[in-house]
Amino acid sequence: DVKVTQSSRYLVKRTGEKVFLECVQDMDHENMFWYRQDPGLGLRLIYFSYDVKMKEKGDIPEGYSVSREKKERFSLILESASTNQTSMYLCATQFSGAAETQYFGPGTRLLVL
Amino acid sequence: GQQLNQSPQSMFIQEGEDVSMNCTSSSIFNTWLWYKQDPGEGPVLLIALYKAGELTSNGRLTAQFGITRKDSFLNISASIPSDVGIYFCAGPPEDTGNQFYFGTGTSLTVIP
């Protein structure tokens, strides 16, 4: 079974803080993704990566950056958290190939005060 | 990414009833996936479909890949309280490389 873990289930941060969200997978998948999920807006792609040290912007990359130093780990960074970044953040992994299933982590619910 | 049109948005049903939901797009898909998301959790894959016309079951769940390749359907038979959650369709349209599109979700409430 694919296992995707996220470093925190719940986080509370203050405006302006730097926030790290980490995702780790144990299935040797090449592709990893970060989404945010908001009521009424569904899942929106922030960044994705197809290989180590590789990253691509998704639909809403503003205010975020990512890091992929090892194949199994994909980090999402909020350089200076803002209240409009309060959301549910979901990491997903995928074996190489667009037709392959994406597997999701349990999510991190972030509240920025 | 672009959202798929998923309907209905929400459903309130009695335990034991059957449920149907669908997903449509203007784009052609080569793969259709159906996920379920419990409150506060990440989406979990229910069924994957890889061929137009394909009909696949997983217990009380049955999903179909539409013949036009632009739609998919999910049915749940004899619903039970643990079916509560949000159901998403998803997949990569043929003309968008690796990017997945997600449906807006169908929220299901089962009344015991």
Side-chain angles (χ1 to χ4, degrees):
Chain A
D1 275 353
V2 175
K3 191 163 183 192
V4 184
T5 57
Q6 293 184 228
S7 50
S8 304
R9 296 298 304 273
Y10 301 94
L11 269 182
V12 181
K13 295 291 181 181
R14 298 223 171 259
T15 302
E17 277 192 74
K18 191 169 186 175
V19 182
F20 292 88
L21 303 182
E22 206 159 58
C23 177
V24 179
Q25 51 109 349
D26 67 355
M27 284 302 293
D28 206 32
H29 283 180
E30 286 81 6
N31 303 342
M32 297 186 76
F33 306 82
W34 274 106
Y35 296 90
R36 64 177 283 177
Q37 184 180 30
D38 301 287
L41 297 177
L43 275 76
R44 293 182 290 167
L45 182 63
I46 305 171
Y47 267 97
F48 59 99
S49 169
Y50 291 152
D51 203 351
V52 175
K53 296 201 187 289
M54 178 270 179
K55 60 185 178 185
E56 292 279 351
K57 292 180 180 178
D59 298 313
I60 51 162
E62 296 79 19
Y64 303 95
S65 62
V66 290
S67 171
R68 190 146 181 220
E69 296 295 318
K70 294 185 178 181
K71 189 175 186 180
E72 68 271 18
R73 195 178 297 265
F74 192 35
S75 302
L76 179 70
I77 304 153
L78 287 65
E79 294 289 342
S80 177
S82 62
T83 54
N84 63 13
Q85 292 178 310
T86 291
S87 187
M88 171 73 139
Y89 289 88
L90 291 163
C91 172
T93 76
Q94 180 190 46
F95 192 65
S96 175
E100 299 293 329
T101 302
Q102 288 192 16
Y103 295 91
F104 286 85
T108 296
R109 193 168 290 278
L110 173 66
L111 172 63
V112 182
L113 299 173
Chain B
Q2 176 186 320
Q3 298 296 326
L4 296 170
N5 298 313
Q6 192 172 341
S7 65
Q9 264 194 328
S10 60
M11 302 181 76
F12 292 80
I13 61 167
Q14 291 287 142
E15 183 176 358
E17 286 184 9
D18 296 343
V19 173
S20 290
M21 60 190 79
N22 69 76
C23 212
T24 61
S25 174
S26 56
S27 301
I28 289 174
F29 281 65
N30 291 324
T31 300
W32 280 100
L33 305 170
W34 284 93
Y35 291 88
K36 182 194 177 198
Q37 185 175 23
D38 290 327
E41 301 289 333
V44 173
L45 181 69
L46 298 174
I47 292 180
L49 303 160
Y50 298 106
K51 204 164 76 169
E54 181 181 349
L55 188 72
T56 297
S57 292
N58 178 5
R60 293 178 295 106
L61 277 62
T62 302
Q64 183 161 25
F65 194 137
I67 290 176
T68 64
R69 295 168 65 197
K70 294 183 177 182
D71 55 9
S72 180
F73 308 87
L74 176 70
N75 296 312
I76 305 172
S77 62
S79 58
I80 58 178
S82 62
D83 289 336
V84 164
I86 300 177
Y87 292 80
F88 291 98
C89 57
E94 192 175 58
D95 54 358
T96 62
N98 277 352
Q99 188 154 341
F100 261 43
Y101 288 8
F102 288 88
T104 46
T106 294
S107 174
L108 178 64
T109 301
V110 179
I111 303 164

